[in-house]
Amino acid sequence: MLVRAITAPGLRRWCRGRRGAAAACFPLGRALLGVRGAEAAVFLQGLLTNDVTQLVAAGDAPPALYAHALNVQGRCLYDVILYRLHGSTAEEPHILLECDSSVLDSIQKHLKLYKIRRKVTITPCPDLSLWAIIPGEQPGDASSLPKCADQALLLTPDPRAEVMGWRLITKKGANLSEIIPGSQVGDVQDYHRHRYKQGIPEGVKDLPPGVALPLESNLAFMNGISFTKGCYIGQELTARTHHMGVIRKRLLPVSFPAPLPTHGIPEGAEILTESGKPAGKFRAGGGELGIALLRLAHVNEPLCVNLGGDKVKLSATTPQWWPKPAAK
């Protein structure tokens, strides 16, 4: 689905139609890489879990795709969102790759290792800004999202889940109030709280490189994998797990009662059942919200984290945006 263009008056009408809630725009510290050239999509196709050729297909090509880059053992190295910048198949393919800013250097080295002689250029884009837009508690119909052609380079539904709103890419210093009339710049910590509440992982804390498995990380639920695209690095274990149909652990949103311990919950803390059985591990969080890798068999049981002899209780929930038969 391509994001349709819209005039400024139409954009204002759209903002007023978001059930009265002002859109919150969050500046993200994620990095952007430009991958450009005749073989850009073919090059990325062999490195990522999703079908990147969709971005250069004729017709109703999507404006954005979610994917993971895996190592040869099938574990996550990088979580990325890809954006199509070229307007038609007649133009040279131009794809933006969004990644955790802390791994920008390593992902560039990773891409250049496999570039070999392909007709592709890979360059950072420090002149661009990335924003998340969350229009209150009612995200609305993603198909109604407009694109502003003035200061916005790209405005598209977040490809992972409708509850995550939209992604906006602008030039540095762009005026957000002109692009999204009536919007407010929010605290990025509120964005992270929102995605933890929804169980959406993002970045190396939630998806530790070389540790996280893509299907346990709900990659299939977030439209981030193609099981028909052919070979890519790390495909074998992922495909085998999918076809076996047995996933015993998944990333889930968790919440802690207040007040929290002074130093918070350490990343990687073991989560136990009331009887002391291992139930999973806490990945990361903000305040009383977080995300944890949990055994599905223990999700509905009382859970706790043992910190220095004190038991800190927590509860897990299954996100409403998950597919209905997803509890396997």
Side-chain angles (χ1 to χ4, degrees):
M1 178 193 68
L2 282 171
V3 180
R4 56 188 175 87
I6 194 166
T7 61
L11 186 54
R12 284 192 287 272
R13 286 196 298 273
W14 169 78
C15 290
R16 287 197 297 268
R18 299 300 91 189
R19 289 180 165 82
C25 300
F26 301 100
L28 302 181
R30 306 262 288 172
L32 291 168
L33 274 176
V35 182
R36 191 168 194 164
E39 297 181 286
V42 176
F43 165 60
L44 293 172
Q45 182 79 339
L47 299 177
L48 300 175
T49 55
N50 215 334
D51 186 359
V52 185
T53 60
Q54 295 179 74
L55 292 176
V56 294
D60 198 19
L65 287 176
Y66 179 57
H68 283 187
L70 309 180
N71 63 16
V72 292
Q73 288 81 31
R75 295 182 181 271
C76 178
L77 288 177
Y78 316 106
D79 64 304
V80 302
I81 298 179
L82 305 174
Y83 303 96
R84 168 184 167 136
L85 288 191
H86 56 282
S88 70
T89 54
E91 297 179 41
E92 180 183 61
H94 188 186
I95 297 170
L96 276 185
L97 184 151
E98 171 197 329
C99 65
D100 190 311
S101 58
S102 69
V103 298
L104 178 59
D105 289 342
S106 63
I107 197 170
Q108 285 186 84
K109 291 177 183 177
H110 180 75
L111 294 176
K112 290 176 180 178
L113 178 66
Y114 291 97
K115 177 177 175 286
I116 312 176
R117 295 180 181 177
R118 292 195 182 276
K119 297 177 181 178
V120 174
T121 59
I122 303 165
T123 53
C125 302
D127 58 328
L128 299 180
S129 295
L130 177 69
W131 300 79
I133 302 175
I134 309 293
E137 294 298 319
Q138 300 291 336
D141 179 6
S143 66
S144 68
L145 180 74
K147 175 182 175 182
C148 177
D150 297 332
Q151 296 187 58
L153 190 64
L154 186 73
L155 179 59
T156 176
D158 190 308
R160 297 171 295 183
E162 186 177 340
V163 294
M164 290 307 296
W166 298 276
R167 278 311 211 242
L168 169 65
I169 299 173
T170 70
K171 295 288 186 180
K172 285 282 187 187
N175 189 332
L176 265 292
S177 63
E178 292 182 8
I179 299 172
I180 308 291
S183 63
Q184 299 175 352
V185 176
D187 186 336
V188 71
Q189 294 306 317
D190 289 334
Y191 164 77
H192 292 306
R193 285 174 56 82
H194 172 75
R195 65 178 186 81
Y196 282 135
K197 184 178 179 180
Q198 300 297 338
I200 302 283
E202 186 177 286
V204 297
K205 288 186 176 181
D206 300 344
L207 300 164
V211 175
L213 288 166
L215 297 184
E216 289 183 350
S217 304
N218 305 321
L219 186 63
F221 294 172
M222 295 187 288
N223 312 303
I225 188 167
S226 169
F227 294 107
T228 60
K229 63 171 278 187
C231 294
Y232 57 89
I233 294 174
Q235 179 202 21
E236 186 177 351
L237 175 63
T238 306
R240 186 165 65 244
T241 304
H242 169 69
H243 291 300
M244 287 175 61
V246 179
I247 300 172
R248 294 184 173 85
K249 293 183 287 185
R250 286 193 181 275
L251 280 182
L252 288 160
V254 295
S255 59
F256 297 86
L260 284 172
T262 305
H263 300 293
I265 308 298
E267 296 166 11
E270 188 171 22
I271 297 173
L272 306 171
T273 65
E274 203 170 36
S275 61
K277 292 181 180 178
K281 288 190 176 181
F282 180 71
R283 281 279 174 81
E288 78 280 9
L289 300 175
I291 197 166
L293 183 67
L294 294 171
R295 296 181 184 276
L296 294 176
H298 299 309
V299 166
N300 296 319
E301 299 180 27
L303 301 172
C304 67
V305 175
N306 195 338
L307 296 179
D310 295 327
K311 289 185 177 181
V312 179
K313 294 182 179 180
L314 70 149
S315 59
T317 55
T318 300
Q320 292 186 354
W321 60 267
W322 277 18
K324 294 306 176 188
K328 67 177 184 177

